[in-house]
Amino acid sequence: MNDTEGRYASHDAERGSFLLSGSDPANAVAVLAPNAPPALLSTRVKRGISIFSAHLSPRLVKVSFASAIEDERAFGHGFVLIPVLLSFGVLTWLSLPFDVGIAKLALLLCVFGMATVACVGKSALLRAPLIAAMLFVAGMVLIAAETARIDTIILDAPVTTNVRGVVFSREQDDRGQWRYGVEVRETTKPRLRRQPTRITLVARGRDEPLPIGATIEGRARLSPPSGPALPGLNDFAFDSYFRGIGAVGFFYGSPTGGKAPAAGELEATLSFGSSLATSIASIREAVGERIRTAIGGDTGALAAALVTAEERAISRETVEVLRQAGLAHVLAISGLNMALAAGTFLIGARTVLSMVPGLAHRVPVKKVAAAGALLMVCLYILIAGGAVSALRAWIMISIMLVAVFFDRMSISLRNVALAAIVIVSLTPSAVAGPGFQMSFAATLALVAGYARWRERRETELPAAERRSKGRGLVTGVVAGVVITSLIGGLATSVYSIAYFHRLPAYGLLANVLTMPVISIVIMPFGLFAMLLMPLGLEHYPLVAMAWGLDRMLDIARFVTSLDGEIVTGRIGHLGFVLIAAGGILVCVLRSWLALSGALLICAGLVSLAVERDRLPDVVIAEDGRLIGLVANGAIATNRTRPSDFVFSQWQRALAVGRHLAPVTLAPPAFADPYPATEPNGKGAPPLEEAKVAAIRADLSSAIEANAAGVFICREKQWCAARNTYGWTIIALENPRLFPALCGLADLVMTAARVDGATCPSDRAHIVNARTLRRTGAIEIRAQPDTEQAPPPMQFRTAFTTLARPWERHRAYDWRTATFTDDPPGI
């Protein structure tokens, strides 16, 4: 080796030692002798690759990984991952197509628990995965136990019957109608074999409402809770099952009942738990009514919602404006509301106590104020109704206030984890809801961001600058509001897309403009009003609160006028899971292991871009009354005014804005061939051949004359259309026409029960009430890569199994009082 080679070899060795000591191995080749002669290029590259390989050797990777694990353990982030693993276990159990019994899960939990104990002090690397598996199974045990404990009886089919029961809750909507929660005592004419324990019924009359605890009875139309509007969307029967609600419906006319019983009679009528809940509901309703009476209008309904979480009295227009502006979170009793209430009380009480001469020297006024704030938030959660977001906020705020007693730091990831553990342990089913996921995602991101900002401030800023007060106060407040809104918005955006299929484009602007009003006016004066309400002095604080709410609505309307809502449509499940898991890891981990979270987020974004499924060509609602043709960014339906509950979900999930209403035909010129509609066509004589021919000719000529992709309808008889693939689709309202028309169609839909054997042709796919009860909503796509014209239909149903408890009612046959085991299908 000559002198030149020796110098560069020495230089390479020094660089290699530096790289192995912790620099970026990606720069290895670049820094190795950058001015080397061309003759030494090959040697330099080989040595760079050798150094890079040595840096990624299994031994060094193992050491680096072990060091990162120790760092995370020192931060205490193992505890933070406990609720994450429990939640994954809950979600896995809920997503299974079958039930896994508690006994099997408990046995599996014992196996992992014993294996974990056996590894103590022997194999640390094996112990961590065993603990993770144990927590995962523990989550499955929790949700299986809750499901078995609740065991809600869900009504199997719509029915009209006489209902008698006890009112355990009531709410008034924006149209003045009352929705009663009824604990059912008896049903008659007919008596239900599978009688739900609790139901909700709407009274449409304007009569004086019955009080909570009163008996109520009347003729009512009951229905099972709705299933998903499309496959993969929210199943309302799932939510109702875990809330204990077995049916929904309305009274025919005004219900009758007696007066509310006295306290002793109420306890004898209801169980202790139900009696306590009823008493709290009465107080909650009284508070909401006083607020709405004092303020009035939508502003009063908003003020009551911020205190009692009763949102039904808010008009739909106002709710939609808040959603489009990105301010819907204000309606939920969340960390923002409770933190502002607790902070206002804490600061106010501490200030008042400090003004008493000599008291601050004898009594720890900060801890006394914290005790008062703790009592206040406990009363707040009772009045607020115990929603998941409110419960999470209450637990965290309570921990923060208790930490004041011991002079400990109150804001930390451990507090977030502890709140999550409590909720998952008490109500594991809440994990599957958007309220739990969005609430904890936002809180986790904000706490993690605050922790990183605090560490950076303590390490990088000079001590003198940290001690300076009042410098840049306005700038700091504005920056804090902007950053908080940005972090919260980013953290919850993927959940908003996954569950609601839309994003507010100007949500950041709306939150920045409204946060000062909420923080300075709305919540503080709302707190003052609640403190003064027992004295009857709440009027003027409520007036100030109403002024702030009016300004918030003005801002929401301004932002909504910018037309910035983004409708995203459905997204793939894999991408959603990857982004959610990556976000958790980025927030929780502090070492270089946090890069794994960033990689998961990137993989999730790639998956969303690749995984997007093509839109269905035909969609059918589960009640068989609404059918839609999807093409060219529009959806054509068989209803001029389709049900907003279903149709709005279709529009957002499919990201189609335009609605093509059907063309309604005038009565035919020939003698009326259409018989009167009779339920299911029973008891009616068969149609004459001449009438059948006239009906078929009428429908065929109407389809030929109508444009493709739009329904044409004979009122109360049929609607028909031909889509771009050439499928002929008929929606029957008169079931007596089924034998006459089914042979003309590729798809026949009716909300009645019809016998497919009466169809003279096997060409048509028949979707009727019996089919839809088992399948739920249906999507139909054209089979790709086929030369057939028209292409065959591919069906996707909302339910592929009816084995889960919240789906099982669909398999019940009331005629035989048995459950059928046939899988759903067309």
Side-chain angles (χ1 to χ4, degrees), residues 155-412:
L155 186 68
D156 52 275
V159 64
T160 299
T161 182
N162 293 328
V163 175
R164 185 174 64 85
V166 177
V167 177
F168 66 85
S169 70
R170 66 176 190 176
E171 287 181 319
Q172 189 176 28
D173 63 15
D174 59 313
R175 292 173 291 181
Q177 298 177 347
W178 286 90
R179 185 179 71 166
Y180 294 99
V182 180
E183 196 160 327
V184 180
R185 291 290 181 262
E186 182 184 19
T187 56
T188 56
K189 296 182 181 181
R191 182 181 66 84
L192 303 183
R193 293 180 179 178
R194 297 181 68 253
Q195 178 178 292
T197 304
R198 288 189 164 198
I199 61 177
T200 60
L201 291 170
V202 174
R204 298 177 174 178
R206 301 287 180 174
D207 295 341
E208 187 69 21
L210 295 173
I212 293 176
T215 58
I216 187 172
E217 58 181 314
R219 191 74 174 168
R221 179 66 175 175
L222 302 181
S223 300
S226 301
L230 286 177
L233 299 190
N234 182 48
D235 184 1
F236 295 93
F238 174 86
D239 301 329
S240 295
Y241 179 89
F242 285 99
R243 290 191 299 117
I245 303 299
V248 296
F250 57 89
F251 282 108
Y252 290 106
S254 300
T256 60
K259 297 180 179 179
E265 297 175 354
L266 183 62
E267 293 176 0
T269 304
L270 303 175
S271 63
F272 174 76
S274 299
S275 176
L276 180 61
T278 301
S279 300
I280 295 175
S282 300
I283 298 173
R284 180 186 180 201
E285 184 198 0
V287 171
E289 184 62 26
R290 288 184 66 169
I291 294 174
R292 287 190 292 269
T293 302
I295 299 177
D298 263 357
T299 305
L302 274 173
L306 291 178
V307 176
T308 66
E310 293 181 358
E311 301 178 17
R312 287 179 59 85
I314 308 173
S315 67
R316 297 180 182 181
E317 294 77 12
T318 298
V319 172
E320 188 62 24
V321 164
L322 291 174
R323 285 176 178 169
Q324 292 185 18
L327 295 174
H329 64 88
V330 176
L331 297 178
I333 307 297
S334 60
L336 172 66
N337 310 57
M338 201 159 288
L340 289 173
T344 301
F345 188 98
L346 181 65
I347 295 173
R350 185 180 181 184
T351 302
V352 171
L353 292 175
S354 299
M355 296 175 63
V356 178
L359 183 62
H361 298 286
R362 300 189 302 271
V363 177
V365 293
K366 180 179 179 181
K367 297 180 180 180
V368 174
L374 182 61
L375 177 61
M376 185 272 299
V377 296
C378 289
L379 295 175
Y380 194 178
I381 190 64
L382 290 177
I383 296 176
V388 172
S389 59
L391 187 60
R392 189 268 309 159
W394 172 68
I395 295 172
M396 286 200 61
I397 296 298
S398 298
I399 293 172
M400 292 171 58
L401 294 173
V402 170
V404 174
F405 299 156
F406 301 96
D407 300 318
R408 299 291 298 273
M409 184 177 65
S410 56
I411 302 178
S412 68

Side-chain angles (χ1 to χ4, degrees), residues 713-756:
C713 300
R714 289 284 188 196
E715 188 176 1
K716 297 183 180 180
Q717 302 298 328
W718 52 260
C719 287
R722 183 167 292 161
N723 75 345
T724 54
Y725 289 109
W727 294 338
T728 300
I729 300 164
I730 299 177
L732 290 178
E733 293 193 35
N734 186 348
R736 287 189 63 192
L737 301 181
F738 175 74
L741 299 180
C742 67
L744 300 177
D746 298 287
L747 175 67
V748 178
M749 183 199 75
T750 175
R753 289 175 175 263
V754 295
D755 185 3

Side-chain angles (χ1 to χ4, degrees), residues 494 497-498 501 568-576 608 611-612 653:
V494 68
I497 294 172
H501 319 301
T568 62
R570 288 180 296 190
I571 61 175
H573 296 297
L574 178 60
F576 168 65
L608 292 183
E611 195 183 3
R612 294 189 70 87

